[in-house]
Amino acid sequence: MRVLIAGAGSVGRSIASDLIEHAHEVLLIDHNPAAMRVSQVAEAEWMLADACELTALSEAGVESMDVVVAATGDDKANLVISFLAKTEFGVPRTVARVNNPRNEWMYDAQWGVDVAVSTPRIMTAMVEEAVAVGDLVRVFTFHQSGASIIEVTLPSGSPLVGVPLRDITLPADTVLSCIVRGDRTIAPTPDDTVEAHDELLFILSAEADPQALQAVLHSAPSAR
């Protein structure tokens, strides 16, 4: 993919390095000359310009980008960049960094944001995941579709321990996408069983009921 990253700070450079390692083409753009640390991500293209300006985005060739990542430390700038990329240049996918969680409600399709990434929210989810065995933890929400990734660690006393997945009926609009067992990741099949302390990752649509999933995880199949 061709990816434009607006904001060449530590976050933007880290994203660029990871994408380049996966063979993607990256253009880093920043208006601050001090951010032009080209040697740190030498494989990327670099551009000194303000990504909030249409002329700068046009010069950067945004219309040819597959993804625009708004990764600045300014929420207002990230919203403007996403909005321009989506409405003026028709970029297929925009990803925007949320710096202040109180601004997260603005990061939606109206502002051209496909995916909003809030570091504080993710860190909160990871803290909850570490202490809340048996409880549902919302790890991530896709703003465009409203779908969510939900994690739960199966307690040792769960009635589902040892039960094949074919015998577990999940609620509507709920999919078990991955089982993490120790250092292994397992793509679930009907023959697999769930075991104590498995981390289960579910994808729930916007219409799905998390409480219905919670009920399934706390009852034996024969009881339903």
Side-chain angles (χ1 to χ4, degrees):
M1 297 186 297
R2 282 183 53 78
V3 183
L4 181 143
I5 300 175
S10 58
V11 172
R13 294 195 305 272
S14 177
I15 296 169
S17 296
D18 287 344
L19 289 172
I20 288 169
E21 285 184 9
H22 290 85
H24 300 298
E25 298 178 24
V26 175
L27 169 61
L28 277 161
I29 179 171
D30 202 297
H31 70 283
N32 184 2
M36 296 289 106
R37 303 181 182 182
V38 178
S39 61
Q40 294 190 9
V41 194
E43 300 88 348
E45 298 177 59
W46 288 75
M47 181 176 175
L48 179 62
D50 186 350
C52 291
E53 296 182 357
L54 272 173
T55 52
L57 293 176
S58 180
E59 185 180 345
V62 174
E63 67 279 357
S64 68
M65 297 293 172
D66 299 296
V67 183
V68 166
V69 180
T72 79
D74 185 332
D75 285 344
K76 295 187 296 295
N78 290 339
L79 288 171
V80 169
I81 293 163
S82 300
F83 182 77
L84 294 176
K86 182 66 72 173
T87 61
E88 298 295 328
F89 298 95
V91 173
R93 189 166 184 80
T94 58
V95 179
R97 171 187 177 187
V98 183
N99 296 279
N100 186 337
R102 285 180 290 185
N103 296 330
E104 190 173 0
W105 65 274
M106 293 187 290
Y107 282 68
D108 58 17
Q110 292 185 353
W111 276 101
V113 177
D114 292 321
V115 179
V117 180
S118 172
T119 301
R121 183 174 295 277
I122 292 173
M123 292 180 70
T124 299
M126 293 302 100
V127 170
E128 290 178 337
E129 185 266 338
V131 299
V133 173
D135 292 335
L136 302 184
V137 178
R138 190 181 303 272
V139 176
F140 192 79
T141 299
F142 297 92
H143 281 249
Q144 189 173 32
S145 65
S148 299
I149 297 176
I150 300 290
E151 186 272 349
V152 62
T153 299
L154 205 64
S156 56
S158 170
L160 297 184
V161 171
V163 174
L165 293 178
R166 70 166 66 87
D167 295 334
I168 301 174
T169 303
L170 295 176
D173 300 313
T174 300
V175 176
L176 176 60
S177 62
C178 181
I179 300 172
V180 180
R181 183 172 297 156
D183 58 357
R184 297 174 55 210
T185 55
I186 301 169
T189 70
D191 294 329
D192 287 314
T193 60
V194 287
E195 305 298 338
H197 308 299
D198 280 354
E199 292 182 51
L200 309 178
L201 293 176
F202 296 91
I203 298 178
L204 278 66
S205 75
E207 293 76 24
D209 181 5
Q211 295 306 314
L213 174 60
Q214 186 82 290
V216 167
L217 295 174
H218 285 80
S219 62
S222 58
R224 293 194 297 277

